[in-house]
Amino acid sequence: MKRKVAQQKSSDKWKRKVFAAILLVVCVGSLVYMQTRCSQIMALASLRSQFVPKPKIAFLFIARNRLPLDMVWDAFFKGEENRFSIFVHPRPGFIFNKATTRSVHFMNRQVNDSIQVDWGEASMIEAERILLRHALEDPFNERFVFLSDSCIPLYNFSYTYDYIISTSTSFVDSFADTKEGRYNPKMSPVIPVHNWRKGSQWAVLNRNHAQVVVNDTTVFPMFQQHCKKKSLPEFWRDRPLPADGSKEHNCISDEHYVQTLLAQEGLEGEVTRRSLSHSSWDLSASKDRERRGWHPVTYKLADATPMLIQSIKDIDNIYFETEYRREWCSSKGKPATCFLFARKFTRPAALRLLNMSALGVFNKAARRF
């Protein structure tokens, strides 16, 4: 009997050891399997993230014909092709090909329904709306930057991209227009005077605000009818003298439209009310006639120095006199430069800055010209 009990105990002990060994193998196997699966999932997630398109910035150029600063922008865009798109509004029929641009980034980037644009007229607004309509067709375009053919970037693409994408607001230079009497009372009551705004046309819009501009069927027709620039001597050859020029409203459409539209739609709370493009206007003391008047200064070859660019980059606040408002510039909640772009630069001036590396736009793939 004792012998049978001992055998039974030995058998039970052996079974427990076998069971423990099997359990250990199962646990280790499960752990290895889980680690393998986890690694596979992480690798798959990493791979998938590489193929998920990032939000893009649509750069919208309003040009006369060619883009004289195309090689400056070529250096800026090079190597970042999955984070931007380009649309250009030139005169009707103009095509960007090997004969008209040296940059592959601008090849065939013209819109096919461009119109003739006259400075200060509602046609400038329509050109902006045409560009936005084309850019909105790409669902990955999340920001829309308006640029002239004389604009240059002040920083490299990564800094510019992070600055713009990091905030959900639009950047629209906008302030109350209380001095120049550009508001035409005939716009009332459709556009009440308390919604009338002024500012730079070089805005950066988020996707929602871009759609508001494209879908507008109320404010734009009022601008077409009642926002016209004042007759000047150079225009009198084509139109009769006004009976009383003092009663004309000197309304420059592109300096009022987007600002007024967003105010009209109650969207100013979603807007950072400043431009990201620098223009130099305060030149009343200049002896050079070309540097006075209705247009900002044009920087020529002699002006193109690292000191000029640094002076623009050092601007960290903007004062809006009509609203007694000072806008301190920030990015990602921290103090930052106010401007990412600057105008107006001639081709020699811009290329000089590029070759001096004064703009900081080069990346590893870019080369100097």
Side-chain angles (χ1 to χ4, degrees):
M1 180 64 71
K2 290 181 179 181
R3 187 176 180 180
K4 289 182 178 181
V5 171
Q7 289 177 342
Q8 183 64 38
K9 289 181 177 180
S10 177
S11 176
D12 291 344
K13 186 176 181 180
W14 179 82
K15 290 179 180 179
R16 286 196 295 271
K17 288 182 178 181
V18 171
F19 178 76
I22 293 173
L23 186 61
L24 180 62
V25 170
V26 171
C27 290
V28 172
S30 299
L31 182 61
V32 171
Y33 175 78
M34 290 176 64
Q35 288 179 332
T36 301
R37 289 294 296 168
C38 183
S39 298
Q40 291 175 341
I41 292 171
M42 293 295 290
L44 183 61
S46 177
L47 185 63
R48 182 176 296 176
S49 67
Q50 296 177 17
F51 290 98
V52 174
K54 295 180 179 179
K56 293 195 298 184
I57 297 177
F59 291 85
L60 313 179
F61 291 86
I62 298 178
R64 296 172 181 84
N65 293 306
R66 300 184 182 215
L67 288 171
L69 312 186
D70 55 356
M71 297 316 298
V72 176
W73 288 100
D74 186 83
F76 175 78
F77 288 127
K78 193 165 292 183
E80 301 290 350
E81 284 72 12
N82 65 330
R83 295 201 287 176
F84 72 87
S85 56
I86 294 173
F87 300 86
V88 188
H89 185 288
R91 64 171 172 78
F94 188 88
I95 298 175
F96 285 90
N97 52 33
K98 290 182 179 180
T100 56
T101 181
R102 292 174 57 197
S103 171
V104 296
H105 293 111
F106 292 101
M107 292 286 187
N108 297 311
R109 296 314 305 159
Q110 73 282 343
V111 296
N112 58 12
D113 53 350
S114 62
I115 61 172
Q116 184 62 45
V117 173
D118 294 315
W119 175 79
E121 299 287 358
S123 56
M124 181 69 79
I125 303 174
E126 183 56 25
E128 295 176 356
R129 285 156 55 93
I130 289 171
L131 285 167
L132 287 175
R133 278 197 290 270
H134 284 276
L136 283 167
E137 291 177 0
D138 185 341
F140 298 109
N141 285 334
E142 291 292 339
R143 300 293 186 275
F144 305 81
V145 180
F146 285 109
L147 297 161
S148 76
D149 55 9
S150 65
C151 277
I152 60 171
L154 297 174
Y155 298 90
N156 64 30
F157 185 91
S158 292
Y159 181 84
T160 303
Y161 181 90
D162 291 342
Y163 192 116
I164 293 174
I165 292 292
S166 65
T167 177
S168 61
T169 68
S170 294
F171 291 89
V172 182
D173 186 36
S174 177
F175 51 90
D177 180 24
T178 60
K179 287 188 173 182
E180 298 186 44
R182 292 190 177 187
Y183 177 76
N184 190 336
K186 293 180 180 179
M187 293 182 174
S188 181
V190 178
I191 304 175
V193 67
H194 64 263
N195 283 337
W196 186 248
R197 300 288 184 271
K198 184 184 177 184
S200 166
Q201 76 178 102
W202 310 113
V204 177
L205 301 179
N206 63 28
R207 191 171 181 88
N208 177 53
H209 296 163
Q211 290 172 330
V212 169
V213 173
V214 167
N215 295 332
D216 170 37
T217 58
T218 303
V219 174
F220 181 56
M222 297 302 295
F223 269 71
Q224 288 178 303
Q225 295 177 46
H226 304 300
C227 182
K228 301 180 184 296
K229 64 177 180 286
K230 191 173 183 177
S231 299
L232 291 174
E234 59 262 37
F235 300 121
W236 287 351
R237 295 188 300 272
D238 303 319
R239 63 181 67 179
L241 278 167
D244 186 353
S246 64
K247 294 183 178 180
E248 285 189 292
H249 293 274
N250 185 31
C251 185
I252 311 300
S253 295
D254 52 80
E255 294 182 358
H256 298 274
Y257 173 65
V258 172
Q259 296 84 348
T260 299
L261 173 61
L262 295 181
Q264 183 88 349
E265 295 293 327
L267 297 172
E268 284 189 305
E270 301 175 7
V271 173
T272 299
R273 294 174 63 190
R274 62 182 175 87
S275 175
L276 296 183
S277 294
H278 177 268
S279 298
S280 181
W281 291 93
D282 188 16
L283 297 163
S284 56
S286 175
K287 295 180 180 179
D288 186 348
R289 287 192 174 187
E290 292 183 12
R291 297 184 173 225
R292 290 181 290 174
W294 287 5
H295 300 282
V297 62
T298 295
Y299 294 111
K300 301 176 182 178
L301 181 65
D303 303 310
T305 65
M307 290 75 76
L308 169 65
I309 299 303
Q310 192 58 50
S311 68
I312 298 174
K313 289 183 175 182
D314 286 342
I315 298 173
D316 61 359
N317 72 90
I318 305 170
Y319 182 68
F320 295 89
E321 184 178 349
T322 62
E323 296 180 345
Y324 306 102
R325 170 171 61 95
R326 186 174 298 278
E327 189 81 28
W328 291 93
C329 304
S330 64
S331 175
K332 298 181 181 179
K334 298 179 180 179
T337 182
C338 291
F339 301 109
L340 300 179
F341 314 101
R343 57 189 296 270
K344 304 167 59 173
F345 286 80
T346 63
R347 180 180 174 86
L351 291 180
R352 181 185 185 187
L353 291 169
L354 183 67
N355 288 322
M356 295 172 69
S357 298
L359 302 179
V361 298
F362 288 108
N363 56 38
K364 293 180 179 179
R367 61 186 178 89
R368 289 167 174 77
F369 297 87

